[in-house]
Amino acid sequence: LIEIEKKCGVKIFISTINGKKQPCIYKTKDLLSFLGWYIAEGCSNIPKDKEGYKTHYSLGLSQFPTSRYYKALKNLFDRMNFDYKYVEGMKVFSISGKPFWILFKKVWKIGKSRNKFIPDEIFHNCNNKQLKNIFDSMWMGDGSFFNKGKNSCL
């Protein structure tokens, strides 16, 4: 997160506790897992009010409550102390907050939908175990088996 501060010129904050913004430190495994989930299932949004002003920055991660990985994603958000809600009608976890929006969209410049990717600085600086962590999360989001379990795709 120190590198983010240098690139963006902003200090990264995630949550407000008792009215005071608190910096958060994440385990590498959780942060890389979140990245994998976002690449597989994520979207971003900046809703505007009637006058056209941005109201907040939000990220969404799609997951049906009946999915075998729903609890894994919910547990990740709990470990990371995210302020999130599950929007039942849309089947999506919604996370409000500018820091991760900046990280994913401005710093790493992760694309939209089919154009999402693992940022070069992450891909080339992670060891195999860390990359596996990203791929495992991507698999839980968009992986599937076909041909009676003989083939798989991501």
Side-chain angles (χ1 to χ4, degrees), residues 1 4 26-36 76 80 100 103-104 108 133-134:
L1 291 176
I4 296 166
Y26 299 104
K27 292 181 179 177
T28 301
K29 181 179 179 180
D30 288 341
L31 188 57
L32 294 176
S33 206
F34 183 53
L35 171 63
L76 174 67
M80 294 181 79
F100 276 106
L103 178 64
F104 290 161
W108 288 338
N133 195 27
I134 295 171

Side-chain angles (χ1 to χ4, degrees), residues 119-131:
D120 285 343
E121 62 207 70
I122 299 294
F123 188 79
H124 294 296
N125 291 302
C126 284
N127 60 39
N128 288 342
K129 185 177 180 181
Q130 292 169 324
L131 288 173

Side-chain angles (χ1 to χ4, degrees), residues 1-13 23-24 102-103 107:
L1 291 176
I2 293 168
E3 190 64 29
I4 296 166
E5 290 179 12
K6 288 179 187 174
K7 285 186 179 180
C8 291
V10 297
K11 200 162 192 172
I12 299 300
F13 293 101
C24 295
I102 290 171
L103 178 64
V107 177

